Amino acid sequence: MAGLVSVAYKGVDAAIAKLERQQKQVKFALAVALTRSAGIAKDAVRAEMPKDLDRPTNFTLNSMYAVPARKNNLVAYVRIKDDGDRGAPAAKWLTPQIEGVARKNKGSEKRLRSKGYLPNSKYLAPGKGVKLDRYGNITRRTMTAIIQGLESGSKYFLVGDPENPVGIAQRLSRKNIKMVLAFVSRPNYKKRLDFYGVGYKAADQSVAAEFEKAYAKALATAR
């Protein structure tokens, strides 16, 4: 046909194939970068915990995990464990510190309520006479001994009006009595751990550099 200039590129198929390979490497590098950034965010929040929380235990410090991104799902997450090994899951007690909500019932409180010892409107707090661990908590062994002792009517007893008790005391001798548990109003936790602020900041600051490293390695090792 007159007046027609046909422009073709003989290597078009190879170029398209190359671009498709590069696109696959981009997705792979993004998944790697997002996963690494989630790990960095998790470590940043872990480093923040001792600053915002009162003597966090190792169980609390290790209560988070990173969910990796995939090439077909380019999102990575930092989550708090919601399953408990031998006790309440970390999400149960960390959520109030993050969201700032009223504390939920503990297992010991549910048990004392079911027995009629703890009024429905009251919650447990350590008394001055109870021994705490190095993290400022009542150990499970101590709590079990208190509840079992109260149920058996041995050394532990309710203090105050039977209809409105104020706590549980331990009788060491006739003249030596100490308060081990106080019945208090429902605790309301303020936001203490900046989980989202610290996590997002760490991820945002790291993801670009992590992508560059991952993409460069992906191109260098691509077949």
Side-chain angles (χ1 to χ4, degrees), residues 79-138:
R79 287 180 174 167
I80 300 173
K81 297 175 182 177
D82 57 4
D83 57 338
D85 218 355
R86 292 177 296 174
K92 186 172 183 177
W93 77 81
L94 268 181
T95 298
Q97 311 294 338
I98 296 170
E99 305 290 351
V101 297
R103 179 171 70 74
K104 296 181 179 180
N105 285 306
K106 296 180 179 179
S108 54
E109 291 167 336
K110 292 180 180 179
R111 182 172 175 180
L112 288 172
R113 285 193 211 288
S114 68
K115 299 291 183 178
Y117 297 126
L118 181 65
N120 290 330
S121 61
K122 297 296 181 180
Y123 293 75
L124 298 179
K128 292 183 179 180
V130 71
K131 185 177 180 180
L132 304 176
D133 63 17
R134 60 185 175 136
Y135 303 109
N137 302 317
I138 301 176

Side-chain angles (χ1 to χ4, degrees), residues 59-87:
F59 192 67
T60 298
L61 293 172
N62 297 319
S63 61
M64 297 172 295
Y65 66 101
V67 181
R70 306 292 182 190
K71 287 190 293 184
N72 60 350
N73 184 26
L74 293 172
V75 182
Y77 302 92
V78 177
R79 287 180 174 167
I80 300 173
K81 297 175 182 177
D82 57 4
D83 57 338
D85 218 355
R86 292 177 296 174

